[in-house]
């Protein structure tokens, strides 16, 4: 039975996730302030679909096929009744207070719109890459991809966009971008941003959302005590397909936010180079 103070709609987009999906949903059922759990079924084996459909603990949206992560999030949000929308990857297990902490930070934020991300941890307890990042530009993405940012201590200009090795702050701090594995917005801020950009199918939609929040005078916050464990890459999707979607996402992102001639030139050069690097990495990992 729900209580009046519960205000969070937890939205989970799932595609061939595997057994970790049940750990994710169980954790959300135990989470403080969660009003409802909405499962957006982008495609799962029949046995998983039957179990999802047969459990009244969550609301199931299904029958639309694999429409992509951004579109799936928007579909879940369109059906949500909460005052805050928490987007949780299906292989992500949140702590009992995680979403409540994130919602509190989002509601208290002075800047609007505000996106709040949590501290996403690997199963071994280490903070994952991506949950606190500087603003991503074509040049900085390339430097990170080819490994030159490892020289950051010697050459500060080669600062890495990924900041998971920085000291963990005591309170929420502004960052360029947070992880799409775990993020939250108030209903009003989600509407201000008009949801996620459905031009992204898989990956980079999180960078886009955070960038648009900053561009509108808002903010993106990293919450250090709102934690979750994330297994990562559990969907049964070929690595090469995933990397192609990521490369397409970066091309869209670089082109979309390039305003000056210099930024447009960077986007034109970095897009193909980054795509080549991502696909080469996928092929190499597929052989190892």
């Amino acid at each position: 039975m729900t209580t009046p103070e519960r205000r969070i709609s937890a939205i989970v987009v799932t595609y061939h996730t595997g057994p970790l999906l049940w750990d994710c949903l169980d954790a959300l059922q135990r989470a403080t302030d969660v009003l409802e759990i909405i499962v957006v079924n982008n495609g799962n084996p029949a046995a998983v679909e039957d179990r999802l459909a047969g459990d009244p603990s969550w609301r199931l949206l299904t029958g639309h096929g694999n429409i992509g992560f951004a579109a799936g999030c928007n579909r879940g949000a369109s059906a949500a009744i909460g005052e805050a929308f928490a987007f949780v990857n299906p292989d992500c297990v949140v702590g009992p207070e995680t979403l409540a902490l994130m919602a509190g930070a989002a509601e208290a934020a002075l800047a609007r719109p505000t996106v709040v991300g949590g501290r996403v941890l690997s199963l071994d307890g280490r903070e994952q890459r991506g949950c606190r990042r500087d603003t991503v530009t074509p040049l900085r993405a390339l430097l990170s991809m080819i490994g030159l940012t490892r020289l950051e201590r010697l050459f500060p200009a080669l600062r890495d966009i990924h900041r998971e090795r920085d000291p963990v702050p005591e309170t929420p701090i502004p960052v360029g971008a947070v992880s799409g594995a775990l993020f939250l917005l108030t209903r009003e801020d989600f509407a201000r941003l008009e949801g996620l950009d459905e031009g992204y199918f898989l990956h980079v939609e999180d960078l886009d959302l955070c960038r648009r929040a900053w561009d509108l005078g808002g903010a993106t916050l990293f919450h250090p005590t709102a934690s979750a464990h994330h297994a990562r890459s559990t969907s049964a999707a070929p690595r090469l397909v995933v990397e192609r979607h990521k490369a397409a996402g970066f091309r869209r992102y670089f082109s979309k936010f390039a305003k000056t001639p210099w930024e447009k030139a960077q986007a034109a050069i970095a897009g193909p180079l980054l795509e080549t690097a991502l696909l080469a990495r996928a092929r190499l990992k597929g052989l190892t």
Side-chain angles (χ1 to χ4, degrees), residues 20 23-25 27 88-94 120 181-182 228-231:
L20 280 173
D23 295 337
C24 168
L25 297 177
V88 183
N89 266 22
D91 53 0
C92 197
V93 178
V94 301
V120 183
L182 176 65
H229 286 87
H230 183 213

Side-chain angles (χ1 to χ4, degrees), residues 230-249:
H230 183 213
R232 211 167 202 167
S233 302
T234 58
S235 294
R239 184 183 296 275
L240 193 59
V241 172
V242 171
E243 296 295 349
R244 280 179 177 150
H245 285 308
K246 185 182 292 186

Side-chain angles (χ1 to χ4, degrees), residues 191-273:
R192 284 189 182 98
L193 287 163
E194 299 180 348
L196 278 73
D197 182 345
E198 297 184 12
Y200 300 92
F201 190 83
L202 180 66
H203 288 299
V204 193
E205 63 285 304
D206 50 358
L207 297 179
D208 180 282
L209 186 74
C210 296
R211 181 72 171 268
R212 287 190 286 124
W214 282 112
D215 286 353
L216 288 174
T220 299
L221 301 178
F222 166 72
H223 201 305
T225 57
S227 63
H229 286 87
H230 183 213
R232 211 167 202 167
S233 302
T234 58
S235 294
R239 184 183 296 275
L240 193 59
V241 172
V242 171
E243 296 295 349
R244 280 179 177 150
H245 285 308
K246 185 182 292 186
F250 273 115
R251 287 200 309 272
R252 179 178 180 82
Y253 175 83
F254 294 151
S255 176
K256 180 176 179 177
F257 293 102
K259 307 301 181 186
T260 68
W262 169 236
E263 290 172 342
K264 291 177 182 179
Q266 285 187 67
I269 295 169
L273 289 176

Side-chain angles (χ1 to χ4, degrees), residues 31-56:
T32 303
D33 284 355
V34 171
L35 172 66
E36 60 177 351
I37 302 169
I38 299 174
V39 180
V40 183
N41 181 24
N42 271 11
N44 282 286
V48 175
E49 292 183 6
D50 290 344
R51 182 172 173 183
L52 287 170
D55 195 319

Side-chain angles (χ1 to χ4, degrees), residues 100-184:
L101 289 169
M102 293 170 68
E107 291 162 355
L110 298 178
R112 293 294 175 202
T114 290
V115 182
V116 179
R119 187 165 184 243
V120 183
L121 306 172
S122 298
L123 299 184
D124 61 7
R126 291 183 296 178
E127 185 177 316
Q128 288 185 352
R129 282 168 65 89
C131 61
R132 44 176 165 157
R133 289 171 279 190
D134 288 344
T135 299
V136 178
T137 65
L139 180 58
R140 298 183 75 184
L142 275 178
L143 291 174
S144 179
M145 175 63 68
I146 63 180
L148 282 178
T149 52
R150 296 191 185 107
L151 302 175
E152 177 184 340
R153 289 187 180 181
L154 295 174
F155 304 101
L158 298 177
R159 177 180 168 89
D160 197 345
I161 54 176
H162 298 282
R163 307 312 305 171
E164 71 278 357
R165 290 184 295 275
D166 288 351
V168 180
E170 295 183 359
T171 58
I173 60 169
V175 294
V178 294
S179 172
L182 176 65
F183 63 99
L184 179 146

